[in-house]
């Protein structure tokens, strides 16, 4: 088992090193982080807009685990293990609408959209659908702890993280003004970018504004480096904000509608926060977005982008332009995260050093990773 | 079960045509000459009705429960 030395990562930013290479290229550390950073925390899985109507069901694979995202008959979003309690067979292979119950395709044990086991055909012999040993009340689908906030479906696979509202209290409070209804922009407001890097590199790049003038030169004309500020909440999130957000306009000068009552503070201010572990969020007076980072392997990540507006009927042309604008920005970042991934194969790289002034949000994330991994190792040792 | 019913069942499975499956398996249950065979077919009709969210599920459940074959 690879055990990395994380002491220097937890040091103050002035003297700290970044995470060791093994955290980007070693399968054993990837497995360790899967448990410490993703299963044990509130990780982003999908968005509620993926299952807009009751009965909508979407099978997903999260770190190799088959899960089922569905909206039950009462409209609540739920996440289940996507397997039958009988022989562990996959229940749903492709997105579809559940009209009634969910039958297992193997022996037809049936589940309600709330996960209850409602029929066990022939379980007591042909035509006999009950047996004393099979207690349906104990054999419902196994539900994964989930919570919807800002339309992101967050899951805690280990089941023992603090309540979502407690774990995310700082960011919930920080963005209280944006706690208003928001509407997914629809088909053109969702896209996925596949990148050849460990998922953490996408977080690290998102956290800081240091790279903006170099990687996103198009921003320089109106959004200079000095217009940005750091956002840091140790053990929870980090990111950056801007004081010069400019609204998109169409040829008639029209803009998107503002989120109601967000306040004058946000007229030209916008914020971009990485909610640890794997959700990248952005808020502006007139639109917001969420990026779910799906780790698809040690060196592969899918970035699922969803853009939201204050009204359901926002102008289609403007939404398409806005999505294209953001897609362009996010695509500009791909060579950076993929380049850093390649760099992690240089065996003598020490994790790198941070600018004490410009890189503190990234260091905040590294320090969080190190702390969670060390905590996980401590628990594992105690259990031995 | 008649050969004709069997052929119609296979065609319904091929679709699949759930409405037809519910009625054909109910028909098979009604034609069966012993209780176990009847409940076997009723069970299938019930599962197809559950999956489809069809109103027949309630009646089929009642029939199976009446024979002590369903909770």
């Amino acid at each position: 088992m690879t055990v990395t030395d994380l002491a220097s990562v937890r040091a103050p930013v002035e003297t700290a090193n970044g995470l060791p290479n093994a955290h980007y290229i070693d399968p054993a550390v990837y497995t360790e982080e899967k448990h410490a950073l993703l299963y044990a925390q509130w990780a982003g899985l999908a968005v509620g807009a993926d299952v807009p109507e009751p009965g909508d069901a979407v099978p997903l694979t999260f770190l190799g685990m088959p899960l089922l995202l569905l909206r039950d008959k009462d409209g609540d979003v739920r996440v289940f293990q996507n397997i039958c309690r009988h022989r562990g067979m996959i229940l749903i292979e492709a997105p579809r609408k559940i009209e009634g119950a969910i039958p297992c395709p193997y022996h037809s044990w049936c589940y309600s959209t709330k996960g209850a086991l409602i029929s066990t055909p022939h379980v007591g012999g042909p035509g006999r659908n009950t047996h004393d040993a099979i207690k349906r009340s104990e054999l419902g689908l196994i539900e994964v702890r989930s919570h919807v906030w800002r339309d992101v479906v967050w899951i805690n696979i280990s089941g023992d993280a603090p309540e979502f509202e407690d774990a995310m209290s700082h960011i919930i409070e920080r963005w209280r003004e944006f706690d208003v209804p928001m509407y997914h922009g629809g088909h053109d407001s969702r896209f996925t970018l596949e990148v050849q890097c460990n998922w953490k590199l996408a977080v690290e790049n998102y956290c800081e504004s240091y790279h903006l003038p170099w990687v996103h030169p198009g921003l320089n004309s109106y959004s200079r480096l000095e217009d940005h500020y750091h956002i840091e909440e140790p053990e929870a999130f980090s990111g950056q904000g801007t004081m010069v957000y400019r609204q998109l306009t169409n040829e008639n000068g029209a803009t998107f509608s503002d989120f109601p009552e967000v306040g004058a503070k946000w007229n030209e201010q916008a914020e971009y926060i990485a909610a640890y572990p794997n959700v990248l969020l952005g808020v502006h007076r007139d639109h917001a977005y969420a990026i779910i980072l799906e780790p698809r392997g040690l060196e592969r990540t899918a970035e699922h982008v969803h853009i939201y507006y204050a009204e359901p009927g926002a102008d289609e042309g403007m939404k398409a332009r806005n999505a294209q604008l953001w897609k362009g920005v996010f695509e500009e970042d791909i060579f950076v995260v993929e380049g850093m991934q390649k760099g992690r194969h240089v065996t003598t790289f020490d994790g790198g050093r941070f600018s004490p002034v410009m890189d503190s949000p990234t260091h905040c994330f590294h320090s969080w990773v190190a702390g969670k991994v060390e905590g996980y190792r401590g628990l594992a040792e105690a259990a031995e | 079960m008649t050969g004709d019913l069997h052929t119609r069942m296979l065609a319904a499975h091929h679709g699949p045509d759930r409405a037809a499956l519910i009625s054909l398996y109910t028909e098979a249950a009604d034609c069966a000459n012993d209780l176990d065979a009847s409940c076997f077919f009723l069970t299938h009709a019930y599962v197809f009705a559950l999956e489809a969210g069809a109103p027949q599920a309630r009646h089929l459940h009642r029939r199976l429960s009446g024979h002590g074959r369903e909770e």
Side-chain angles (χ1 to χ4, degrees), chain A residues 170-187:
Chain A
H170 294 290
I171 188 170
I172 292 172
E173 191 52 43
R174 183 181 187 97
W175 283 354
R176 183 68 71 191
E177 291 154 299
F178 287 97
D179 214 355
V180 294
M182 58 181 200
Y183 301 89
H184 195 289
H187 179 73

Side-chain angles (χ1 to χ4, degrees), chain A residues 100-101 103 122 127-129 136, chain B residues 36 40 43-44 50-51 69-70:
Chain A
H122 313 311
R128 298 172 190 272
N129 304 326
R136 292 182 187 175
Chain B
D36 282 346
F40 174 87
T43 297
H44 284 246
L50 281 178
E51 181 178 7
R69 305 302 180 95
E70 185 55 74

Side-chain angles (χ1 to χ4, degrees), chain A residues 83-336:
Chain A
I83 53 171
C84 181
R85 293 297 301 276
H86 177 212
R87 304 303 306 142
M89 174 68 183
I90 295 291
L91 286 173
I92 292 187
E93 288 276 12
R96 67 180 172 90
K97 170 82 82 183
I98 308 295
E99 302 293 344
I102 306 166
C104 174
Y106 197 4
H107 302 93
S108 286
W109 285 26
C110 292
Y111 302 90
S112 76
T113 57
K114 294 177 185 295
L117 178 60
I118 55 174
S119 187
T120 48
H122 313 311
V123 76
R128 298 172 190 272
N129 304 326
T130 63
H131 190 284
D132 289 345
I134 302 300
K135 296 183 171 38
R136 292 182 187 175
S137 61
E138 298 173 2
L139 291 170
L141 295 183
I142 295 180
E143 187 158 7
V144 175
R145 204 169 166 219
S146 66
H147 187 95
V148 180
W149 182 65
R150 300 199 66 72
D151 201 44
V152 174
V153 181
W154 310 73
I155 56 170
N156 169 228
I157 291 197
S158 66
D160 57 4
E163 291 295 324
F164 182 88
E165 290 90 344
D166 295 329
M168 298 288 185
S169 61
H170 294 290
I171 188 170
I172 292 172
E173 191 52 43
R174 183 181 187 97
W175 283 354
R176 183 68 71 191
E177 291 154 299
F178 287 97
D179 214 355
V180 294
M182 58 181 200
Y183 301 89
H184 195 289
H187 179 73
D188 289 339
S189 296
R190 64 166 70 217
F191 56 90
T192 294
L193 302 175
E194 297 197 27
V195 291
Q196 304 303 311
C197 74
N198 184 276
W199 64 274
K200 297 192 300 300
L201 288 169
V203 177
E204 296 166 24
N205 178 64
Y206 189 78
C207 283
E208 49 94 343
S209 57
Y210 191 9
H211 72 287
L212 298 184
W214 310 105
V215 177
H216 308 291
L219 300 176
N220 286 345
S221 62
Y222 68 93
S223 181
R224 301 159 304 166
L225 198 50
E226 55 266 40
D227 296 323
H228 292 259
Y229 57 92
H230 300 333
I231 299 168
E232 291 170 55
E233 184 63 45
E235 309 304 320
F237 61 81
S238 59
Q240 43 130 343
T242 177
M243 301 303 290
V244 291
Y245 169 62
R246 284 200 318 207
Q247 289 184 278
L248 184 72
T249 56
N250 68 8
E251 60 277 14
N252 301 319
T255 58
F256 293 117
S257 297
D258 288 340
F259 289 110
E261 299 175 27
V262 291
K265 172 192 169 188
W266 295 98
N267 279 352
E268 294 183 311
Q269 193 172 348
E271 291 193 341
Y272 309 95
I273 287 179
Y276 307 159
N278 69 326
V279 179
L280 313 180
L281 299 167
V283 292
H284 316 77
R285 58 187 289 179
D286 58 358
H287 74 284
Y289 65 74
I291 307 173
I292 316 266
L293 300 175
E294 177 198 351
R296 288 190 170 169
L298 183 53
E299 302 188 58
R300 286 180 57 220
T301 301
E303 303 179 352
H304 301 287
V305 183
H306 299 271
I307 306 175
Y308 295 84
Y309 296 92
E311 295 175 345
D315 182 86
E316 292 295 331
M318 285 181 67
K319 284 194 297 189
R321 269 184 62 205
N322 197 36
Q324 202 54 43
L325 190 151
W326 279 115
K327 190 174 184 187
V329 172
F330 299 145
E331 284 176 338
E332 287 175 341
D333 285 313
I334 291 178
F335 87 95
V336 175

Side-chain angles (χ1 to χ4, degrees), chain B residues 1-68:
Chain B
M1 188 195 307
T2 64
D4 172 58
L5 179 54
H6 182 67
T7 303
R8 285 186 287 147
M9 279 179 167
L10 284 180
H13 275 290
H14 188 69
D17 180 344
R18 284 196 183 79
L21 286 167
I22 297 166
S23 63
L24 291 171
Y25 275 88
T26 303
E27 183 181 335
D30 293 339
C31 296
N33 51 15
D34 76 75
L35 183 60
D36 282 346
S38 178
C39 287
F40 174 87
F41 290 119
L42 276 182
T43 297
H44 284 246
Y46 178 50
V47 166
F48 294 130
L50 281 178
E51 181 178 7
Q56 296 97 314
R58 182 167 297 184
H59 177 63
L60 292 163
H61 180 265
R62 202 176 302 130
R63 286 183 68 179
L64 285 164
S65 301
H67 295 304

